[in-house]
Amino acid sequence: MHPPRHGSIAERHATRARPSLRSRATARPTDLTVWGALVAAGGVFAAGAFAAPLVAQSPLEGFTAASAEAQAVCEARFLELPSSDAFREHLRIITANPHPTGSQAQIEVGHYLGRVMKAAGLTVREHPYDVYLPQLTDDVEAHIVTPEPMRLNNRERALDEDRFSGHPDLLNAWNAFSGSGDVTGEVVYANFGRREDYEALDSMGIELADKVVVARYGGNFRGYKVLFAEQRGAAGVIMFNDAPAEEVDPYPEGPMLNGEIIQRGSVLTLPWTGDPLTPFEPALPIDGDRQVERLDPDEVGLHTIPVLPLGYTAASEILSRMTGPEAPEDWQGGLDLPYRLTGGEALT
């Protein structure tokens, strides 16, 4: 047997394959992945030989060499435009005063944003809307009535490290679209207030009629905690941020919630978003040229029972006084006390 003139058969195949693959890759770039896989499977590592020229020709995926250069210039210019100092100044102005929805302060924030966008060269138009919103009020309180009267704190304390926390226009914590009223009742703990939590209470024979439900945030949207309680005849709902399970420094020393931070927010649970009285329609001005049919608030299905949020320090005053059976293990929370299902007749 005569020895091969150009080495082994495998070497000859490799020698022939490399220029062939490079040629195919140049003519049909979409074949690059297919042919590269075939070469690797055959034990010949020639992929790098033709991959590098393609990357050099088009460094941005989806662009030709010519358009990639123009795109790179555009992206570099875009990255130069934002200014962290400008963002910081905008945030300082926007957050200088509390501006809950419907307040004059919120209107001023809108005007400011319009001026900023106009200064940036954008065309800005302002459109008025008449939206059904909760009344802004500071008349929101929670009390333990018996056995010993106690006012529960529902406003964050002012911190030296947070200049916003002591603003004179801050309101007591409240949930938008809560029902109005003054109710007193025995306490029932409902874990996260999920559907399955209320069904568990049903299965345990714990009735909610005329009771004040205490539920911790998390597990579902806050509005459904209220809806499921209201469906069972509850008199009211108190929601609270639970203490963290792990020992992490609370704000302002660390990132975790401290015991007085309160989660606000809407509890609206309608099957549409936006203005509750104009489903799937813009809430155009009542006295405008175009009229939009508005629903009667009493027929919309808004919550009718009072709802109030607390921090976990205030909530612990309720939980620590409850005397009923202990809640299941997976209903226990971050506070150093047993979470119980009912408060007993003495606690209201």
Side-chain angles (χ1 to χ4, degrees), residues 87-335:
F87 282 131
R88 188 176 294 108
E89 179 63 9
H90 291 319
L91 285 175
R92 185 193 66 78
I93 295 173
I94 292 171
T95 61
N97 298 294
H99 49 274
T101 303
S103 65
Q104 182 60 37
Q106 186 207 33
I107 295 174
E108 293 302 323
V109 167
H111 290 330
Y112 171 77
L113 294 176
R115 293 194 299 271
V116 170
M117 288 187 283
K118 286 180 180 178
L122 300 176
T123 299
V124 179
R125 298 187 181 93
E126 294 185 1
H127 300 276
Y129 294 95
D130 286 335
V131 180
Y132 189 74
L133 294 171
Q135 180 181 359
L136 298 176
T137 178
D138 211 28
D139 186 19
V140 181
E141 297 180 356
H143 296 256
I144 292 177
V145 180
T146 60
E148 296 292 336
M150 173 186 292
R151 164 77 189 277
L152 299 176
N153 180 39
N154 63 326
R155 181 184 298 201
E156 293 90 346
R157 62 187 171 93
L159 300 171
D160 293 337
E161 300 88 345
D162 185 349
R163 68 181 186 277
F164 301 106
S165 61
H167 197 287
D169 293 341
L170 286 174
L171 301 175
N172 289 339
W174 53 284
N175 290 109
F177 294 104
S178 158
S180 298
D182 185 354
V183 300
T184 302
E186 297 176 22
V187 179
V188 174
Y189 170 58
N191 194 24
F192 289 115
R194 301 167 298 186
R195 185 189 300 274
E196 57 265 37
D197 295 329
Y198 284 106
E199 290 174 347
L201 291 173
D202 294 340
S203 67
M204 289 184 274
I206 298 176
E207 296 186 0
L208 300 185
D210 301 323
K211 302 294 196 302
V212 174
V213 172
V214 176
R216 49 183 176 160
Y217 277 119
N220 64 353
F221 171 58
R222 67 181 80 89
Y224 291 112
K225 304 177 193 294
V226 180
L227 178 64
F228 299 145
E230 189 170 11
Q231 290 172 343
R232 289 165 171 79
V237 175
I238 292 175
M239 298 182 289
F240 70 99
N241 296 310
D242 200 5
E246 301 178 0
E247 292 188 6
V248 181
D249 288 339
Y251 181 80
E253 290 80 14
M256 300 302 294
L257 297 177
N258 65 43
E260 294 175 322
I261 290 179
I262 304 172
Q263 180 186 148
R264 294 158 171 80
S266 170
V267 293
L268 204 61
T269 53
L270 298 176
W272 59 84
T273 58
D275 176 37
L277 304 188
T278 56
F280 313 110
E281 293 283 350
L284 298 177
I286 295 175
D287 57 355
D289 295 334
R290 178 188 167 191
Q291 292 296 302
V292 178
E293 182 179 356
R294 281 177 162 80
L295 303 177
D296 186 327
D298 294 333
E299 299 175 355
V300 171
L302 301 174
H303 298 300
T304 60
I305 62 175
V307 185
L308 189 147
L310 295 175
Y312 60 78
T313 296
S316 70
E317 299 291 352
I318 301 174
L319 298 172
S320 64
R321 288 168 170 78
M322 296 176 69
T323 58
E326 283 197 24
E329 183 177 355
D330 58 349
W331 285 33
Q332 299 298 317
L335 291 168

